[in-house]
Amino acid sequence: MSTEAIAAERPKRNYNALFGLTLLALLVLLWIILSVATPSFASANNISNLLRQGSMIAILAVGQTFVIITGGIDLSVGAVVGFATVIVAMLINAGTPVFLAILITCWSASPSACSMGSASSRWACRPSSSPWQR
């Protein structure tokens, strides 16, 4: 047996938390730079507008996460959202009230989702969509 001292191994540092916060730090840095460069960026109206625009993407991301977790990869979500957005914009431009435009679009987007081959809506569009009648 040798008398040499065994060098203690350095503990490995866990940088996962640091890497997870990198995007948040870049977002905050971008906000700071834009607040200094543009006087109207930090206004209440602009922040409200940014949150309103991001909310649709956040809702879609949460819904798509559940679809992916359950194994039904559904790539037609973007197509259906684009279709619904165009229809709502056209109806509002034509003078239709907003609530009615949204109702018409929800009614029309459901069949189009079925025809586009959406994985989640294919199951719901079958004539016998009951889970007990497979």
Side-chain angles (χ1 to χ4, degrees):
M1 187 183 259
S2 73
T3 58
E4 295 177 21
I6 300 174
E9 290 185 30
R10 289 184 179 178
K12 294 184 180 180
R13 295 189 177 160
N14 189 2
Y15 291 110
N16 289 337
L18 181 64
F19 290 140
L21 294 175
T22 302
L23 288 177
L24 182 63
L26 287 174
L27 182 65
V28 169
L29 179 68
L30 184 65
W31 281 349
I32 292 170
I33 290 171
L34 287 172
S35 295
V36 170
T38 310
S40 63
F41 180 78
S43 67
N45 286 337
N46 190 39
I47 299 299
S48 171
N49 193 21
L50 289 173
L51 292 174
R52 189 177 307 117
Q53 289 175 356
S55 65
M56 184 183 83
I57 295 172
I59 291 169
L60 288 173
V62 169
Q64 190 69 10
T65 300
F66 288 121
V67 170
I68 290 173
I69 286 172
T70 59
I73 304 299
D74 187 5
L75 300 178
S76 69
V77 172
V80 173
V81 168
F83 172 75
T85 303
V86 168
I87 296 298
V88 166
M90 289 172 61
L91 287 172
I92 291 174
N93 259 352
T96 308
V98 175
F99 73 91
L100 187 59
I102 292 173
L103 286 175
I104 290 170
T105 305
C106 290
W107 175 73
S108 66
S110 178
S112 69
C114 295
S115 66
M116 287 182 196
S118 165
S120 62
S121 62
R122 253 187 295 163
W123 184 82
C125 296
R126 281 194 234 149
S128 60
S129 62
S130 172
W132 297 281
Q133 298 176 352
R134 290 195 178 196

